[in-house]
């Protein structure tokens, strides 16, 4: 399952670069970010996202990878080449810690496990979607059911009709060797990583904190240039935006650190970006409420009234999958407004209709 994004408080300029980082964050290689920690960008087979960062942690008892890339020969070749510049080979990897179960983070780990016996670990909350993924029919059955409840029946039909490719059906997927629990510490000889559950982007997303070194391996929870989608997974939780905002506040309460994201350059300071993300969602909640007050009564209608991406494009100008994510993100904002009793809703022929509470 690939991940995509829609709205975002995109930064026109990048965050300050740390030493040894190239101006283009997608430049191949192993780029040092801290003592015995290197960022390795790996290519992605996506039109809208060029690369995913994985992080190599050198430890006396073996190499550890945080996230792994999208399974395939290009990924394996790029990872092997980057390791070779440091004097290592793929066979030197001992374990892979994964922030969440999207294909660009998890599937190459499973390929390496099959080929080399590398130990793979992921957050326990991902179990729902890992065990619940079913590509025997359409690729996004739960999402299209939600689209119909959002009043986007035609879009749901279009997404349902998208074929599941043979490559997608053969993608390595399944449970890890062991699950990671919130608050657990992963001891890596001379380094101790704390597992912090940060549900929202997915229900089992975790970040890895290294307080002694001042590092946060943030996965897709905090990204420097874009806002992650919420709840895009095989078995999403009931209110992913509520969880995502709570997880942002949780990270904001942790000591500030160097941001080591899955997409985009390494950035100085997690807190500043978290503040931007929280402010963005407050603005979107205000805009969503404004459109309901103006008469938009379904998630689809609200989404059509809002601008999308930093280019502020209309909903209907987006590709179908991006339109799907935009409508579902709007629905997540409406859920938060309903929980706050700012709006109410009624069901009419399987569609949720919203109104401002008076």
């Amino acid at each position: 399952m690939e991940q995509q994004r829609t709205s975002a408080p995109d930064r026109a300029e990048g965050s300050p670069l740390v030493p040894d980082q190239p101006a283009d964050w997608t430049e191949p290689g192993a780029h040092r970010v801290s003592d015995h920690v290197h960022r390795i960008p790996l290519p992605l087979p996506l039109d809208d996202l060029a690369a995913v960062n994985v992080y190599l942690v050198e430890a006396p008892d073996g190499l550890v990878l945080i996230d792994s890339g999208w399974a395939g020969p290009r990924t394996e070749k790029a990872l092997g080449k980057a390791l070779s510049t440091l004097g290592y080979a793929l066979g030197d990897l001992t374990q892979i810690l994964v922030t969440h179960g999207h294909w660009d983070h998890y599937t190459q780990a499973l390929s390496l496990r099959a080929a080399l016996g590398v130990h793979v670990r992921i957050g326990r909350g991902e179990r729902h979607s890992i065990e619940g993924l079913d590509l025997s029919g359409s690729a996004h059955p739960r999402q299209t059911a939600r689209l119909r409840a959002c009043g986007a029946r035609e879009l749901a039909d279009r997404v349902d009709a998208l074929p599941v490719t043979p490559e997608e059906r053969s993608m390595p997927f399944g449970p890890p060797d062991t699950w990671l629990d919130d608050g657990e510490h992963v001891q890596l000889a001379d380094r101790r990583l704390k597992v912090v559950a940060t549900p929202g982007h997915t229900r089992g997303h975790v970040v890895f904190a290294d307080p002694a070194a001042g590092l946060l391996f943030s996965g897709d929870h905090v990204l420097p240039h874009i806002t992650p989608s919420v709840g895009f997974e095989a078995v999403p939780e009931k209110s992913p935006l509520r969880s995502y905002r709570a997880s942002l506040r949780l990270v904001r309460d942790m000591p500030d650190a160097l941001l080591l994201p899955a997409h985009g350059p390494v950035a100085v300071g997690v807190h500043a970006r978290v503040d931007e993300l929280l402010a963005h969602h407050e603005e979107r909640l205000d805009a969503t409420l404004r459109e309901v007050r103006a008469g938009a009564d379904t998630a689809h209608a609200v989404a059509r009234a809002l601008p999308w991406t930093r280019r502020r494009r209309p909903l209907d100008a987006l590709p179908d999958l991006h339109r799907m994510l935009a409508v579902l993100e709007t629905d997540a904002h409406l859920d938060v407004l309903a929980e706050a009793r700012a709006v109410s809703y009624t069901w009419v022929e399987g569609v949720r209709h919203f109104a401002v509470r008076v």
Side-chain angles (χ1 to χ4, degrees):
M1 179 182 295
E2 69 195 58
Q3 60 176 13
Q4 302 176 49
R5 296 161 190 84
T6 48
S7 66
D10 297 348
R11 294 180 175 180
E13 302 295 334
S15 302
L17 293 177
V18 300
D20 303 321
Q21 297 299 296
D24 179 2
W25 72 271
T26 68
E27 182 178 317
H31 309 292
R32 180 186 178 278
V33 295
S34 182
D35 289 343
H36 306 295
V37 179
H38 293 80
R39 181 181 64 84
I40 301 175
L42 299 175
L44 292 176
L46 303 175
D47 293 333
D48 59 339
L49 199 58
V52 59
N53 292 322
V54 305
Y55 293 89
L56 179 72
V57 181
E58 300 172 284
D61 51 349
L63 302 182
V64 176
L65 206 60
I66 296 178
D67 284 336
S68 68
W70 188 296
R74 286 181 67 210
T75 298
E76 185 171 322
K77 181 179 178 180
L79 179 58
K81 186 174 181 179
L83 290 177
S84 70
T85 65
L86 301 173
Y88 301 120
L90 291 171
D92 295 317
L93 294 169
T94 59
Q95 69 171 312
I96 302 176
L97 308 174
V98 184
T99 58
H100 63 294
H102 281 157
W103 286 359
D104 55 332
H105 296 255
Y106 188 45
T107 55
Q108 185 61 42
L110 299 181
S111 288
L112 291 170
R113 179 177 69 179
L116 302 171
V118 182
H119 191 86
V120 177
R121 309 183 71 187
I122 196 171
R124 189 176 297 277
E126 294 297 77
R127 185 169 192 162
H128 304 277
S129 288
I130 288 174
E131 294 181 350
L133 183 67
D134 180 6
L135 297 179
S136 60
S138 65
H140 311 291
R142 287 180 173 85
Q143 283 73 24
T144 51
R146 286 179 58 200
L147 283 177
R148 292 185 173 89
C150 291
R153 186 176 302 277
E154 180 183 347
L155 176 59
D157 291 343
R158 290 168 64 91
V159 174
D160 261 342
L162 294 174
V164 180
T165 67
E167 291 79 9
E168 289 172 324
R169 293 190 191 281
S170 63
M171 187 69 64
F173 210 70
D177 295 293
T178 54
W179 301 101
L180 293 165
D181 290 309
D182 182 37
E184 179 180 347
H185 287 86
V186 179
Q187 189 68 47
L188 305 179
D190 55 353
R191 188 183 298 268
R192 197 167 186 241
L193 301 179
K194 183 178 181 181
V195 179
V196 181
T198 51
H201 179 58
T202 66
R203 66 195 297 176
H205 193 290
V206 299
V207 300
F208 300 98
D210 184 347
L215 306 176
L216 182 74
F217 301 90
S218 67
D220 281 358
H221 180 57
V222 181
L223 299 172
H225 290 164
I226 50 181
T227 298
S229 60
V230 292
F232 182 53
E233 54 192 318
V235 186
E237 61 175 297
K238 182 178 180 181
S239 186
L241 181 60
R242 176 181 61 193
S243 294
Y244 182 61
R245 294 167 75 217
S247 296
L248 286 174
R249 296 188 189 101
L250 174 67
V251 170
R252 185 61 173 83
D253 289 339
M254 294 164 56
D256 207 0
L258 192 68
L259 175 62
L260 305 183
H263 307 284
V266 173
V268 178
V270 173
H271 287 178
R273 184 54 177 161
V274 168
D275 289 343
E276 290 179 350
L277 291 167
L278 286 168
H280 163 70
H281 283 292
E282 287 300 324
E283 291 167 4
R284 293 300 275 195
L285 286 166
D286 290 343
T288 299
L289 183 59
R290 205 161 46 241
E291 296 304 334
V292 174
R293 188 175 287 117
D297 67 341
T298 66
H300 185 221
V302 173
R304 294 189 74 185
L306 295 174
W308 296 95
T309 79
R310 64 181 169 187
R311 296 177 179 84
R312 301 184 68 80
R313 300 172 67 192
L315 179 73
D316 292 343
L318 302 178
D320 285 344
L321 286 179
H322 289 221
R323 288 173 62 202
M324 175 183 76
L325 291 174
V327 173
L328 296 182
E329 180 178 308
T330 303
D331 195 46
H333 282 85
L334 286 164
D335 277 334
V336 169
L337 290 172
E339 291 163 3
R341 301 183 65 80
V343 300
S344 60
Y345 61 86
T346 55
W347 289 92
V348 179
E349 297 182 350
V351 176
R352 284 206 301 175
H353 291 263
F354 291 86
V356 174
R357 282 184 178 269
V358 293

